Amino acid sequence: MTVTDTDAPPAVTSDATALAPPRPAPGFAALIGTGDHRKIGRLWIGTSFLFLLASGVAGALLGAEKLDTSSIDVLDVDAVAEIFSLHAVAGVFLFLVPLLLGLAIAIVPQQIGSPTVAFPRAAAAAYWTYLIGGAVVLTSFAADGGPGGSDPDAVALFLAAMILVLASLCLAAVCVATTGLGLRAEGMSLTRAPLFTWANIVAAGIWILTLPILAGILLLAYVDVKYGSTFIGGGEQLYLRMSWAWNQPTVYMYAIPVLGIVGDIVPVAARTRLTQHRIAMGCIGGFAVLSFGAWALPGFAPSTRGDLLLAYTDEVPFVAWSFLILLPLLGLTGLVADTLRRGTARVMSPLVWALSALVMLLAGAANGALVSVDPLDLLNTTGTTSQIHYVLAASALGLLGGLVYWSPLVWGRAFPEGPSLALAGGGLVGTIVLCLPDLVSGFLDQASLLGGAEDNVDAIEALNLVSLVGGGILILVALGFVGLLLKVGAGRDNDAVDPEQRDPWEGHTLEWAGDESPAITSEAPVYDARHAEVSS
């Protein structure tokens, strides 16, 4: 048979680019379609800081309004409830939880030796859903919606958008938990997982159990707003029906990953292993279990009462939970202190951030124990506000410390140590100055909402001024941190880690291993490999 030209194999070209895979689309198109867990994590992190602006402005307005307890001058009377709700909703669900998830999506796969996060497209879809839902939440507040809003359509829009945001957070939490449970490298049993990974697994479990309950309440509220008060009493009770999600004990569930950050940073700073890794895992797990607070939500029957926040505080579980949650915190604090004692501690900014977060979290838990003591009458006073601010500010400090610590792996370059140390110190001072005066004014019977007691007015207003200064310090710290973050990530490819800054801390866990992954025989494989090389 005659071989024709059409039967001949195609000519081999010398152009190597003809066989190269197509380059990904640059710019925004690549960002929309990305499945890279580091890029997805950076999107969550960056967007969360944008939403922090809304919460910070609302908090500053509320703080300024408290300077004169006899009247409402700064805000419109009808807008007080909306501003109060905006401060809480934006601070927790648009800033803090997304920031936690962004850091987890970027770091957990690297810690367990996985090339990607589980369900990367779902993690990306969760981000875009969060972005759209969060933008609509802020729009609904601007249109006189949200809890306390007077426009029924805007309130309904807020409820639908918040359900969308909660769904996105749950989806991202599923991705993080599945990554930690199912994609660990060979040799990494669950008990050998780094504490940050473990903390995110248990935190994701608590969030997945809790946030859908809040979404269900919002769905019932939506039905009430659209078709008449049937389930929970309509939109006028919306804030009271939602507030359990950031009150004691539920507020602690937002701090769970921070305990993992502390547990990973401290042994690196001490240049030794963490004392009793498995006991530390038990402490974090116990803290997570005690932070589950869906049992504390008010009943579903419509009510004309204005004290629904008090519905569960006279029950034994509330008092018991308030004191018991101190135990795992104290246990982990003891392990951290022993690790620093045994090792050769060095001052590094992530350590200052982490220890500040742990101390403030302890202060918040102690404050919460005081709130649960009925004779002290701190419920529904600024003593309750103080506790919530302690816990949430401590969570934010720990997260900023985690961003500094893992910056070479997330942004490709390390934070400058001097400014980071200054900001960490400012964050600690700002948290104390914000929260402690509120606890004292709570003993003077200042209400948690705007207003005050008939007695001790001058003292209360002076304390409110000090607390406002503390809030201002925290705003400056946040702005300074964002400035550093922009400087670290500006003008370079964030996916290319600077070789000279690949491991500035001499880390212990797998994310610091580089191209060659060591054998995993403990919770600190890189520490093991480093000391084996020194010994040999």
Side-chain angles (χ1 to χ4, degrees):
M1 181 178 66
T2 304
V3 178
T4 64
D5 291 340
T6 56
D7 295 322
V12 177
T13 177
S14 60
D15 186 3
T17 60
L19 301 178
R23 297 182 63 184
F28 188 65
L31 207 58
I32 291 178
T34 185
D36 185 333
H37 68 98
R38 289 176 59 200
K39 288 182 179 179
I40 297 170
R42 289 197 295 266
L43 286 171
W44 281 94
I45 292 167
T47 306
S48 70
F49 279 107
L50 293 177
F51 285 121
L52 175 62
L53 178 63
S55 179
V57 170
L61 291 173
L62 291 170
E65 189 62 74
K66 289 166 61 179
L67 295 179
D68 184 358
T69 60
S70 62
S71 62
I72 296 178
D73 301 318
V74 178
L75 299 172
D76 185 89
V77 175
D78 297 330
V80 170
E82 290 180 81
I83 298 298
F84 220 97
S85 303
L86 174 61
H87 179 52
V89 168
V92 174
F93 300 113
L94 301 184
F95 165 66
L96 190 61
V97 177
L99 182 58
L100 289 164
L101 289 169
L103 186 60
I105 289 170
I107 295 301
V108 167
Q110 300 182 67
Q111 282 203 323
I112 63 172
S114 171
T116 183
V117 69
F119 317 123
R121 298 300 182 190
Y127 165 74
W128 295 110
T129 305
Y130 149 71
L131 175 62
I132 295 171
V136 176
V137 165
L138 296 187
T139 301
S140 68
F141 275 106
D144 198 16
S150 59
D151 187 326
D153 291 334
V155 174
L157 181 64
F158 163 79
L159 292 168
M162 269 302 299
I163 293 172
L164 198 65
V165 169
L166 295 174
S168 69
L169 300 180
C170 286
L171 180 58
V174 168
C175 296
V176 172
T178 306
T179 303
L181 290 172
L183 299 184
R184 298 190 305 275
E186 182 179 357
M188 183 176 288
S189 63
L190 196 56
T191 56
R192 291 175 179 171
L195 288 184
F196 181 64
T197 294
W198 166 250
N200 275 285
I201 291 173
V202 296
I206 296 296
W207 297 344
I208 292 167
L209 289 173
T210 303
L211 297 183
I213 297 175
L214 178 59
I217 293 173
L218 297 180
L219 181 59
L220 294 178
Y222 182 88
V223 174
D224 278 2
V225 169
K226 297 294 288 185
Y227 305 105
S229 299
T230 302
F231 296 106
I232 67 172
E236 65 273 6
Q237 293 195 24
L238 187 53
Y239 178 83
L240 295 174
R241 300 293 181 171
M242 293 180 62
S243 59
W244 65 271
W246 53 78
N247 269 284
Q248 186 171 219
T250 312
V251 67
Y252 294 114
M253 76 177 187
Y254 310 116
I256 300 169
V258 174
L259 300 182
I261 293 173
V262 173
D264 279 357
I265 290 176
V266 166
V268 173
R271 297 189 178 100
T272 188
R273 294 181 182 278
L274 179 70
T275 301
Q276 297 296 335
H277 178 81
R278 294 189 180 186
I279 294 179
M281 295 179 76
C283 291
I284 295 174
F287 182 86
V289 170
L290 292 171
S291 71
F292 179 74
W295 54 268
L297 59 92
F300 289 107
S303 173
T304 58
R305 294 170 56 197
D307 61 345
L308 287 173
L309 291 177
L310 300 176
Y312 58 90
T313 53
D314 56 350
E315 298 178 4
V316 172
F318 175 72
V319 180
W321 257 234
S322 301
F323 280 89
L324 285 175
I325 203 161
L326 278 165
L327 298 180
L329 271 180
L330 290 172
L332 185 65
T333 302
L335 297 178
V336 165
D338 186 63
T339 302
L340 292 172
R341 178 191 62 84
R342 291 186 301 103
T344 306
R346 51 180 166 162
V347 177
M348 49 190 257
S349 63
L351 178 65
V352 179
W353 285 106
L355 293 182
S356 299
L358 184 60
V359 171
M360 292 298 94
L361 190 55
L362 278 168
N367 192 335
L370 291 176
V371 167
S372 70
V373 178
D374 188 60
L376 296 179
D377 290 328
L378 288 174
L379 287 167
N380 283 347
T381 69
T382 50
T384 304
T385 307
S386 172
Q387 186 238 351
I388 296 170
H389 281 161
Y390 263 129
V391 175
L392 297 181
S395 302
L397 292 178
L399 281 170
L400 297 186
L403 286 175
V404 172
Y405 178 64
W406 284 299
S407 174
L409 305 181
V410 178
W411 307 99
R413 191 161 55 183
F415 269 65
E417 271 291 273
S420 179
L421 277 169
L423 290 176
L428 176 61
V429 172
T431 302
I432 296 172
V433 176
L434 169 70
C435 301
L436 187 57
D438 277 348
L439 177 60
V440 177
S441 61
F443 280 105
L444 299 177
D445 297 326
Q446 184 185 15
S448 57
L449 296 174
L450 294 181
E454 295 181 0
D455 301 324
N456 306 304
V457 173
D458 292 339
I460 287 174
E461 291 181 351
L463 290 167
N464 289 342
L465 175 60
V466 175
S467 182
L468 179 61
V469 171
I473 293 173
L474 289 181
I475 290 174
L476 292 177
V477 168
L479 292 174
F481 191 91
V482 171
L484 283 181
L485 195 61
L486 293 174
K487 182 179 179 181
V488 166
R492 65 188 314 276
D493 181 6
N494 290 319
D495 294 322
V497 178
D498 188 340
E500 296 181 359
Q501 302 186 43
R502 180 65 180 75
D503 182 8
W505 320 113
E506 296 184 352
H508 294 181
T509 43
L510 203 58
E511 71 270 26
W512 303 108
D515 296 331
E516 297 183 4
S517 180
I520 302 173
T521 57
S522 74
E523 77 284 353
V526 176
Y527 177 87
D528 294 339
R530 185 180 297 118
H531 282 263
E533 291 177 3
V534 172
S535 299
S536 62

